[in-house]
Amino acid sequence: MSKDCGNHGGGKEAAVRRICAAVIAFIIIVLITIFLVWVILRPTKPRFVLQDATVFAFNLSQPNLLTTNFQVTFASRNPNSKIGIYYDRLHVYATYRNQQITLRTAIPPTYQGHKEDNVWSPFVYGTAVPIAPYNSVALGDEQGRGFVGLMIRADGRVRWKVGTLITGKYHIHVRCPAYINLGNKAAGVLVGDSAVKYTLVTKCSVNV
């Protein structure tokens, strides 16, 4: 006669528990390492400046339709001495009083090294874009006074590179006020037959 001690599966269960514990411990160590590297290096978000805007077209027509064509110049700086930045996706567009008035223009994916600067000059435009009636009235008033206040925006995703370590993707939102003196072409520089280039040098807000 043989006895059944009931412990035949105990060895396997203990081995599985040890493997699970080892995997969890490894994940925790990796996360702690990443956190410590992050805290020690203290990554700083990039800085953006809107340098200028060249206006090729800005026409408000009835009923509440806006046609625009700009070329804007951004300067971006990576202030970090040990961290690089991958711009995986960045789309630039213009808004007026929180209403988008141009299509989104994509900037090619870019890597920005330590303490490095990048300059982008994308075109943003919209043809016969419907404007909310209250925004159309406000825009008409601003045009009458000469100055038009727009917001040039850039939205996308970035990754941080620390040595060989590359983080996951983070959303980036850039907001650059642009007050353009459309009523006085002498305030800018004539480009070609009708376009005017306005120097702005406006500091942008950046959220990551």
Side-chain angles (χ1 to χ4, degrees):
M1 179 182 280
S2 62
K3 281 188 176 181
D4 185 0
C5 63
N7 293 325
H8 294 164
K12 291 182 179 180
E13 291 178 0
V16 170
R17 285 197 296 270
R18 286 195 294 270
I19 292 172
C20 290
V23 170
I24 292 173
F26 175 76
I27 293 174
I28 291 174
I29 291 172
V30 170
L31 292 177
I32 291 175
T33 301
I34 293 174
F35 175 74
L36 289 177
V37 170
W38 189 265
V39 170
I40 292 170
L41 294 176
R42 294 182 181 178
T44 301
K45 58 190 177 183
R47 298 167 186 163
F48 279 74
V49 173
L50 179 62
Q51 293 184 333
D52 58 60
T54 302
V55 181
F56 293 88
F58 196 95
N59 302 311
L60 180 63
S61 60
Q62 297 300 325
N64 306 326
L65 299 176
L66 179 63
T67 295
T68 58
N69 188 357
F70 300 92
Q71 184 179 23
V72 295
T73 301
F74 284 104
S76 171
R77 178 168 178 78
N78 175 8
N80 299 287
S81 59
K82 298 180 181 179
I83 300 174
I85 303 174
Y86 284 101
Y87 294 90
D88 291 326
R89 188 178 69 192
L90 203 60
H91 290 94
V92 180
Y93 59 102
T95 63
Y96 178 75
R97 296 197 172 192
N98 294 320
Q99 181 178 357
Q100 185 172 334
I101 60 173
T102 70
L103 299 173
R104 292 172 178 252
T105 298
I107 291 177
T110 305
Y111 173 73
Q112 192 173 51
H114 311 155
K115 297 287 186 178
E116 191 172 276
D117 297 289
N118 288 84
V119 177
W120 298 296
S121 296
F123 284 87
V124 291
Y125 59 91
T127 302
V129 177
I131 302 296
Y134 51 88
N135 280 343
S136 179
V137 171
L139 184 57
D141 290 342
E142 288 189 14
Q143 277 190 288
R145 293 194 297 268
F147 277 91
V148 173
L150 304 178
M151 186 70 71
I152 307 299
R153 305 190 179 204
D155 294 332
R157 292 187 178 184
V158 296
R159 289 176 295 159
W160 310 94
K161 183 176 184 293
V162 184
T164 58
L165 175 66
I166 300 175
T167 69
K169 295 182 179 181
Y170 290 81
H171 291 281
I172 183 171
H173 303 282
V174 182
R175 302 291 181 264
C176 306
Y179 297 97
I180 303 174
N181 189 357
L182 295 177
N184 181 16
K185 291 186 177 182
V189 177
L190 191 64
V191 179
D193 295 331
S194 58
V196 181
K197 182 176 183 178
Y198 297 93
T199 300
L200 302 173
V201 193
T202 303
K203 186 178 179 180
C204 308
S205 66
V206 180
N207 290 311
V208 179

